[in-house]
Amino acid sequence: MAFDREDALKKAEKLLRLGRLDAAIVEYQRIVDEVPNDWKTLNALGDLYLRANQTPRAVSLFERIAQHLAAEGFDARAQAFYKRILKVAPDNQRALEALADLAIRQGILVEARGHLVALSQARQAQGDARGAAEALLRVNTLDPTDFSSRREAARTAAQSGNTDLAARELVAIAADFAADQKHAEAIDVLQEAIAILPDDEALKERVIENAISARLFDPLRASLKNGADCLTLSDRLLGVGWPEGASLALDEAVRLSPDSSEGRTRAARLRYEQGDYAGAWDHLSAIGQIEDPEVQRLAFVSALRTGRGDDAVERLRRLLDHEQVNEEDAGALIAANRPLDAALWAPVELLVDRLAQRRNLATAVAQLRGFLDGCPSHVPALTKRVELLVDEGSEHELIDAQAQLAEAYLQAGSGAEARIIAEDLVSRSPGDDSRRDLLRRALILVGEPDPENAVTAFAGQIAALSTSLDDDGFTEQPPKPVESVASPVWEAPAAQAVKKADVEARGLFELGPGAIDLSSILGESEPSAPSERGNLDAEAPEIDLTEVLRELKPPPANVTGAKKGLKMPDQPERSNLDEVFRDFRDEVSRQTAADEAEQHYKVALTYREMGMLDDAVRELELAARAPRLRFEAASQLARLIRDRGDVPSAIDWFERAAEAPAPTPEAGRALLYELGQALESCGEVARALAVYLELQADAGEYADLKPRIERLSRVQTES
């Protein structure tokens, strides 16, 4: 039989009117059981329970209704029912807490504070200290921005024994600080939480995270117990992009484990990468013997960068002696640290000496040149450069090096040394004003009373000697030399310089069989002083050189000349000494030019390996002038210019190389292929296609030649 609600309500009201309260309650209860959501009947039943002094049952019904209303969003009506509960049960904790929640939701913080205080008191009265503290904590956290009150509430909770609650609130406060990028404040709060729960690893991790975010290392230091912890933290800090913090962690590793070579090595590497070469050296120098070649190189470069010449040379010697680095790589390391100062001459000198021992003179000279860029007046380096250039035979650079050395001696006040070099320079080119000025300044330093006239006299005597041997100015009667106007102090050195120049000029080449010995033809006279030279010249007998030359017999075939491998003409039957000298100079010029080109090429390769590309370009341009080296030099130059982005200029050099004979067919094909690529990249389709077709005719299937030809053919057809 279906339940009739209306009939049941009438029956309950009838019983109520008859004063039968208990029977009416039973009937209302039956209705509520049948219709649980009959909120009006529930309210009426709650009132009947109150009339019947059944307060707990009334409170339960009112709470049920209030929860429903709050869930439906009827906060005010829900509050009314909770307040009805408090009228009959003032210490009802659920009602107090619910009213506080509703007030907070409505933003009525004053009312919420009152309910929470009452809740705390109710719990305290029941002996629930933890609950009371929790309620009080909520009182102090009603305003989320009032961090001071929130922290005080957390302390109160901790004092009452509710440590978990206190820690949770402190973590929440720290999270709010971190959200506002206030990481230092967050760390301070978290450290207070750690004081409450010292074994909580999660709290310690939160401190580390905030310290990393704020780039604060001091809070991290507390988490480091040993060297291993420091190394782990260093890796983590590097991973988040904080190398400075990682370096501090490695410093802690060294402090905690001073004998750990791993900690010092890693600290040195990081300092080196950060450009802190002094810090890197401090760690590396404390390690002692280093076996790792890479670490040894770090120590060498750190010593270079910090101006520790003695330490740098010692590290370099170990690297070279143990073959942990070759001379070329060591040179690159030194070159990367330019410009160098005078304190670093020792390692440069060691490297230069090792290169010279291997006869790698071009690279040795290049190293000296690089050092002198930073120390242009360094006398030991300039002296070494002159010595190597003499061995290398690079006359043009040797003259410049001598002039630079003389200038350095002058700046150092060493007039005697500067004078000797200047005399040699002037003897080679008496008319060069810059060389004469060097000599004049040197004479001033040594106290020459009339330096101008002394220089003029010396240059005049050298010029006179040169004229007597020159093919354009030769006469049967030797010219009268310029008389010296110098003081007696100058005469003896001048005469010695003339003699030296004469001897060097005559001793430049070793005479082979059948060669013409001009000394035997012209005779030899060694004047003791310029003033005596004129008398000797005046008394010299006249010689008919034409007759003498006609009496000479032809020399044997394949006669080898001087120590440079120079050849004298096969048939020197000349009627004129001019023609003999002219043939001789032509042969010297050809072979000297070839030697110089080869030296330029070697120096260019050294420059390229050292990354000195502008210098490499200049040397390759000089080397490419020699037909024998044109292919190699021009092709190398083309590639270097191409890699620097100047493709049109590279094409020009590729074409020059292509005009010269290739050393091998494969080298020629590779050059054509690169020329085609360069033309193609510049949009010169027709020229690139022509080069590719020529290469295909010679080499057939070469690299990706076929698809390139097909593609360019289509492009040309479409255009």
Side-chain angles (χ1 to χ4, degrees), residues 461-584:
Q461 292 164 354
I462 295 299
L465 177 62
S466 300
T467 302
S468 68
L469 298 176
D470 185 59
D471 58 339
D472 292 327
F474 180 82
T475 59
E476 295 181 357
Q477 181 78 19
K480 185 176 181 180
V482 178
E483 295 184 359
S484 172
V485 295
S487 65
V489 176
W490 169 245
E491 290 176 356
Q496 293 174 4
V498 173
K499 178 180 178 181
K500 175 183 176 184
D502 191 12
V503 171
E504 288 181 352
R506 290 182 283 104
L508 181 61
F509 303 103
E510 297 176 358
L511 296 177
I516 302 174
D517 186 351
L518 295 179
S519 298
S520 64
I521 297 174
L522 300 175
E524 185 171 354
S525 176
E526 297 183 0
S528 59
S531 59
E532 299 172 1
R533 175 67 179 251
N535 295 332
L536 293 173
D537 287 342
E539 297 172 2
E542 295 185 3
I543 301 174
D544 188 347
L545 291 177
T546 303
E547 295 300 325
V548 173
L549 289 172
R550 284 176 179 173
E551 295 175 2
L552 291 175
K553 296 181 179 181
N558 299 326
V559 175
T560 303
K563 48 191 173 183
K564 285 290 183 179
L566 303 175
K567 296 181 179 180
M568 292 295 290
D570 292 339
Q571 300 295 331
E573 292 183 356
R574 301 285 193 232
S575 60
N576 192 302
L577 184 61
D578 297 342
E579 297 178 5
V580 176
F581 282 159
R582 186 176 299 111
D583 289 347
F584 179 73

Side-chain angles (χ1 to χ4, degrees), residues 160-211:
S160 65
N162 200 347
T163 55
D164 291 341
L165 178 62
R168 283 201 305 272
E169 180 59 23
L170 290 173
V171 169
I173 296 172
D176 291 340
F177 275 131
D180 292 337
Q181 301 300 313
K182 297 178 179 179
H183 295 288
E185 291 87 341
I187 291 170
D188 185 49
V189 174
L190 288 170
Q191 288 175 336
E192 185 174 351
I194 291 175
I196 297 172
L197 299 175
D199 297 328
D200 193 322
E201 296 298 327
L203 288 175
K204 297 176 182 178
E205 177 60 25
R206 286 179 180 272
V207 170
I208 293 174
E209 291 174 354
N210 278 275

Side-chain angles (χ1 to χ4, degrees), residues 117-194:
V117 170
L119 176 61
S120 176
Q121 293 172 348
R123 290 177 176 175
Q124 191 70 40
Q126 292 182 353
D128 183 6
R130 290 175 60 87
E134 183 178 351
L136 188 59
L137 178 66
R138 293 193 62 191
V139 171
N140 292 325
T141 58
L142 288 176
D143 183 3
T145 62
D146 187 357
F147 296 111
S148 178
S149 296
R150 291 175 65 184
R151 292 185 72 172
E152 187 61 34
R155 294 181 186 127
T156 302
Q159 292 170 0
S160 65
N162 200 347
T163 55
D164 291 341
L165 178 62
R168 283 201 305 272
E169 180 59 23
L170 290 173
V171 169
I173 296 172
D176 291 340
F177 275 131
D180 292 337
Q181 301 300 313
K182 297 178 179 179
H183 295 288
E185 291 87 341
I187 291 170
D188 185 49
V189 174
L190 288 170
Q191 288 175 336
E192 185 174 351
I194 291 175

